[in-house]
Amino acid sequence: MAWDRNQMAARAAQELQDGWYVNLGIGIPTLVSNYIPKGVNVTLQSENGMLGMGPFPYEGEEDADLINAGKQTITELPQTAYFDSATSFAMIRGGKIAMAILGGMEVSETGDLANWMVPGKLVKGMGGAMDLVAGVGRVVVVMDHTSKHGDSKVLKECTLPLTGRSVVDRIITNLGVLDVVEGGLKIVECADGVTEAELRAATEATIVG
Amino acid sequence: MKKVYANAAEALDGVLKDGMLIAAGGFGLCGIPELLLEAIKQSGVKDLTFASNNAGVDDFGIGILLQTRQVKKMISSYVGENAEFMRQYLSGELELEFNPQGTLAERMRAGGAGIPGFYTKTGVGTVIAEGKEVKNWNGQDYILEEGIFADLSIVKAWKADETGNLIFRKTARNFNHPAATCGKICVVEVEEIVPTGSLDPDSIHLPGIYVHRIIQGQHEKRIEQRTTRKREEA
């Protein structure tokens, strides 16, 4: 037993606080918007130039001029504001975005994040991820705890090219929740049906406390 | 001086040169200067360097110039949607300089504002920082990034007046605004040119001082990822 993609997204949604401006990455982080707790009002930023991202449009109402950072058609809300890319990253770099929830390939025990490149294999680019991890108030990474081969992705040191160094605050995986603290990672909670022993066994990084 | 031209080929006449640096607006396929890109293809100009967030897809956007081998180098943050790009890059035919998206936008903004360099936290401790000056303020490292001073800017806007005042639409604004400012010459394609005086001066997104040539045309405005919800779910 462990959390599936939707349960991970639902757990990540518990990180949101009322009034926050938040950026959600592509993949599981996008699903977080389906689980925003009642009574919590957050404004979603899309780094291609929008605050106040709405849901997907109804069929037939797609607008080529209105997309999110994953290039998906979306809609606007009453509070929506549009701006250019330099302004968008000025608010990211200026620390105005309270939190980013991003996907990851590897996270280290010191909070290093790798999520943009596999040398020789996957050359897509970092997009806005390096700016986000450097600029936002809090970085939460949502990813599978291990690779398809069972290797831990929560490591002493990342093996892949970094997106940022010492930038991650919290990791939410299919096996549980860990915080980056002095000396290593601290277990915050285990996923449903996962024991602390199982979580430790799947983690290469140092676990403290 | 008249800024309105009849079509993309005329608007680019005398402007294009082999080996030039072009700053292009657009994010994915949203807000790309599709008519000007087609005219650049037809012109046959080559060895181009593009500062553009993305490289289009195989048969649309900058992708059409990759097919014809007119691009020597891309300065981009994300190129994942383009198989031909990947092929040319991995075989060494195409140079690629990855820039974090915000760094690319700020490099264009800085170039347009006459700022040759700026320091940023973005990329510190990563491959992006290699070879770049590092400076420490209050215990935090920052790296020096350079402004982009392009030979030409190509931009898509929604509406222009005859003096080049521009209004963009929704998320199609994206890189078009900073890209427009950083070129020696800025050529803009719009969906509608309206008479001077008919745009609200308080609502101009980019003043005409940045804009040298304008064309009006029909845009395909292709959608990259069509995502919808069913009405029952409402």
Side-chain angles (χ1 to χ4, degrees), chain A residues 47-50 55-76 82-86 89 93 116-117 120-121 123-128 130-131 134-135 161-165, chain B residues 27-28 30 54 77-81 86 89-90 96 98-103 105 109 118 120-128 169-175 177-178 191 221 223-231 234:
Chain A
E47 66 266 25
N48 53 317
M50 179 184 199
F56 293 150
Y58 294 122
E59 276 175 50
E61 294 182 2
E62 308 92 315
D63 184 339
D65 289 337
L66 183 43
I67 63 169
N68 64 18
K71 284 107 181 179
Q72 297 171 311
T73 47
I74 49 164
T75 56
E76 63 187 24
Y82 298 111
F83 34 84
D84 68 84
S85 297
F89 283 92
R93 292 166 177 225
W116 74 280
M117 183 188 193
K121 281 189 187 164
V123 190
K124 291 190 168 189
M126 71 292 287
M130 284 191 181
D131 306 282
L162 295 184
T163 308
R165 199 176 283 279
Chain B
F27 180 93
C30 180
N54 312 93
S77 86
Y78 190 84
V79 294
E81 325 291 350
M86 209 59 64
Y89 172 65
L90 292 173
L96 170 61
F98 271 131
N99 278 193
Q101 195 175 139
T103 293
R109 195 201 70 80
F118 58 92
T120 179
K121 276 195 292 191
T122 299
V124 169
T126 75
V127 293
I128 294 303
R169 185 169 176 275
K170 301 184 188 284
T171 57
R173 192 180 322 186
N174 57 56
F175 275 85
H177 188 294
E191 295 176 44
K221 299 215 287 185
I223 291 175
E224 204 162 340
Q225 307 272 346
R226 189 178 296 274
T227 44
T228 58
R229 65 189 149 138
K230 295 249 187 295
R231 284 195 186 271

Side-chain angles (χ1 to χ4, degrees), chain A residues 100-115:
Chain A
I101 302 179
L102 302 173
M105 296 176 184
E106 295 175 346
V107 178
S108 83
E109 63 190 41
T110 55
D112 296 350
L113 171 66
N115 75 349

Side-chain angles (χ1 to χ4, degrees), chain A residues 21-38:
Chain A
Y21 292 84
V22 174
N23 184 294
L24 303 178
I26 293 164
I28 299 174
T30 303
L31 300 174
V32 171
S33 62
N34 298 331
Y35 299 96
I36 297 172
K38 285 229 170 355

